[in-house]
Amino acid sequence: MENVFVLLIMITIGAIIGGFTNSLAIKMLFRPYVPVYIGKWRVPFTPGLIPKRRGELADQLGKMVVTHLLTPEGIRKKLMNASFVREMTNWAQEEVRTLLTSEQTIQGLATEQIELDDVRKRLEDKTCQFIDQRVERFLDQIRDQKLADVIPDNYLTKADELVPKAAELICERGVQYFSSTEGKEKLSEMIDRFLHGRGTLGNMVSMFLGNDRLVDKVQPEVIKLLEDRSTQQTIEQLLQKEWAKVKEMKVSAIEQKINKEEVISFLKTKVITEVPIFEWIEEPFSKWTSPYQKTIIEDWVPKGIELLKEVLSGRLEDMMKKIHLDDVVKEQVEAFSVERLEDMVLSISRREFKMITYLGALLGGSIGFIQGLLVLFI
């Protein structure tokens, strides 16, 4: 009976030692969290293994994530997966549909998301500033050039072709005008002023012929003159000469003859009043997008997802290098508290750690049993 008692004592002591040492080893993975000192002497095995090697662990985790987990090949494979693309397209379409059919405005969205007020005024100011800069830059480049060197050849050709048409149009409009009652009255006034300016001779001619009779004689001649081909040719030649002079003028000379500020102001006004985007800023999405909703949702969104997929797939390596994902993981792990890490690991592997403790007790008890047998036989 005494031998059995000794054997049980040996088994119990071995089991306690084995379970305790395994339990202690598990706790020493995390604890203590900080070094423990007695005076200037640091107690061995403090801090625990994971707190002590946190930097190395973070570095290795970062490399492991980049090398084996989040690899360009794996992400590219996911991006090319038809099911993933379909899910992303459906999600994007729903999000876009919700936005386009909402009563939200661009101004309201900007105010809520980025706290930006007066979007329209800001956009108008930026547009005006852009026009000023572009016009001034353009003029700086062409001021010393001739107008003919600035205008594209196809526009110059069209302008040259318009000169004969302009001469013909002038003659046609002249005939129409002087054939009308208004034109005849104007011609009568011109004749009256002409004769009045000739003094006595003019009064005598006006008295003997009468103004109405003189107009009746002059009007057909004026119309005949305008209908004559030679008149049209003369006007055409004059216009050609003037147009040739204009083409040879430098842009700086033309700039001096016009009011540049008025031209730029007119251009700004036209852009702001004619481009609808300035009105859209203060209107609900549902109002100004209604004609385009189907096209945007069914055509543009899938094409946008496809384009985004191609762009990301082709630039994954460069993007991941620029992101420095391994450094991101390393920084996150280093910033992770050891207490939280311990709680997280234990919550996942508590059962396994208990089994390791029990295994230590089992092994310690087995060793104690063997030692007891050896003691009894020896």
Side-chain angles (χ1 to χ4, degrees):
M1 188 67 182
E2 183 180 350
N3 294 335
V4 174
F5 181 74
V6 171
L7 187 62
L8 289 176
I9 291 296
M10 297 290 287
I11 293 173
T12 302
I13 293 173
I16 292 173
I17 293 173
F20 176 75
T21 53
N22 277 17
S23 178
L24 181 63
I26 291 172
K27 289 188 178 297
M28 288 179 66
L29 290 173
F30 301 96
R31 301 190 183 193
Y33 302 137
V34 295
V36 177
Y37 289 91
I38 299 175
K40 295 183 179 182
W41 178 71
R42 191 184 73 175
V43 177
F45 307 109
T46 63
L49 178 62
I50 290 179
K52 185 177 182 180
R53 299 295 182 89
R54 183 195 294 189
E56 297 178 23
L57 177 64
D59 186 58
Q60 291 300 320
L61 280 175
K63 292 179 180 178
M64 182 182 68
V65 168
V66 173
T67 306
H68 301 290
L69 299 180
L70 292 178
T71 62
E73 292 75 16
I75 298 175
R76 186 179 292 109
K77 184 178 179 180
K78 184 65 175 179
L79 288 174
M80 292 299 178
N81 184 274
S83 177
F84 174 77
V85 173
R86 185 165 54 252
E87 290 177 3
M88 289 299 299
T89 302
N90 293 336
W91 172 81
Q93 286 177 324
E94 286 302 318
E95 291 295 320
V96 172
R97 181 180 289 107
T98 301
L99 177 63
L100 297 184
T101 57
S102 70
E103 294 302 308
Q104 181 68 277
T105 64
I106 295 177
Q107 176 62 71
L109 194 64
T111 303
E112 291 178 6
Q113 299 298 324
I114 56 177
E115 299 181 355
L116 181 63
D117 296 328
D118 298 325
V119 174
R120 176 167 182 169
K121 185 178 184 304
R122 290 171 181 266
L123 184 59
E124 289 178 357
D125 292 343
K126 289 292 183 181
T127 301
C128 292
Q129 183 180 356
F130 175 78
I131 292 174
D132 286 333
Q133 293 174 350
R134 295 294 295 184
V135 170
E136 192 61 35
R137 187 185 306 171
F138 179 68
L139 289 175
D140 288 340
Q141 295 174 350
I142 65 172
R143 276 195 177 96
D144 295 331
Q145 300 182 34
K146 296 178 181 178
L147 185 63
D149 296 332
V150 174
I151 301 177
D153 293 338
N154 57 328
Y155 288 106
L156 283 176
T157 303
K158 290 180 180 179
D160 293 339
E161 294 173 353
L162 287 175
V163 172
K165 295 180 181 179
E168 182 180 354
L169 182 63
I170 290 172
C171 292
E172 289 179 358
R173 292 292 183 267
V175 170
Q176 292 176 5
Y177 179 75
F178 287 111
S179 299
S180 66
T181 303
E182 181 185 357
K184 187 174 182 180
E185 291 177 356
K186 191 67 176 178
L187 186 59
S188 177
E189 293 176 4
M190 293 169 62
I191 293 172
D192 185 51
R193 286 198 301 269
F194 176 78
L195 293 177
H196 182 73
R198 294 298 179 272
T200 305
L201 179 61
N203 292 332
M204 291 178 60
V205 172
S206 178
M207 183 179 61
F208 283 107
L209 296 179
N211 191 30
D212 292 339
R213 293 179 56 195
L214 189 57
V215 168
D216 291 337
K217 292 181 180 295
V218 172
Q219 183 189 29
E221 296 301 323
V222 172
I223 294 174
K224 184 178 179 182
L225 177 66
L226 292 173
E227 290 177 340
D228 189 14
R229 176 62 183 168
S230 61
T231 302
Q232 181 177 332
Q233 291 176 345
T234 301
I235 295 175
E236 181 180 333
Q237 290 174 0
L238 291 173
L239 292 177
Q240 290 282 13
K241 289 180 180 179
E242 292 303 316
W243 174 233
K245 291 178 182 178
V246 172
K247 288 192 293 184
E248 291 299 314
M249 292 176 64
K250 289 188 175 181
V251 175
S252 57
I254 297 176
E255 183 183 0
Q256 294 175 359
K257 295 181 181 296
I258 63 174
N259 192 326
K260 183 178 67 174
E261 286 70 22
E262 287 186 2
V263 175
I264 296 177
S265 177
F266 172 78
L267 182 60
K268 293 176 182 177
T269 303
K270 274 296 180 183
V271 170
I272 292 174
T273 56
E274 297 298 329
V275 176
I277 190 172
F278 295 98
E279 298 294 334
W280 292 348
I281 291 173
E282 298 173 346
E283 293 181 352
F285 284 105
S286 57
K287 181 177 180 180
W288 59 267
T289 63
S290 55
Y292 319 107
Q293 286 178 9
K294 184 176 181 181
T295 301
I296 293 173
I297 295 171
E298 297 183 3
D299 296 337
W300 292 7
V301 171
K303 290 180 181 177
I305 295 294
E306 191 67 26
L307 178 61
L308 181 62
K309 180 190 74 174
E310 296 296 331
V311 171
L312 290 177
S313 298
R315 293 173 171 80
L316 273 176
E317 287 82 358
D318 293 338
M319 290 176 60
M320 294 186 70
K321 287 179 181 178
K322 291 180 180 179
I323 293 175
H324 298 291
L325 190 59
D326 52 344
D327 291 337
V328 174
V329 175
K330 181 179 178 180
E331 291 172 3
Q332 292 298 316
V333 172
E334 289 178 341
F336 208 74
S337 67
V338 181
E339 295 92 334
R340 187 178 176 188
L341 179 62
E342 181 184 14
D343 291 339
M344 184 176 66
V345 173
L346 291 178
S347 65
I348 297 172
S349 306
R350 190 179 301 276
R351 183 178 178 183
E352 286 73 16
F353 284 151
K354 285 183 179 179
M355 293 302 296
I356 293 174
T357 302
Y358 296 153
L359 178 61
L362 178 61
L363 292 175
S366 300
I367 294 172
F369 176 73
I370 295 172
Q371 286 178 337
L373 290 179
L374 291 174
V375 169
L376 293 175
F377 285 109
I378 296 175

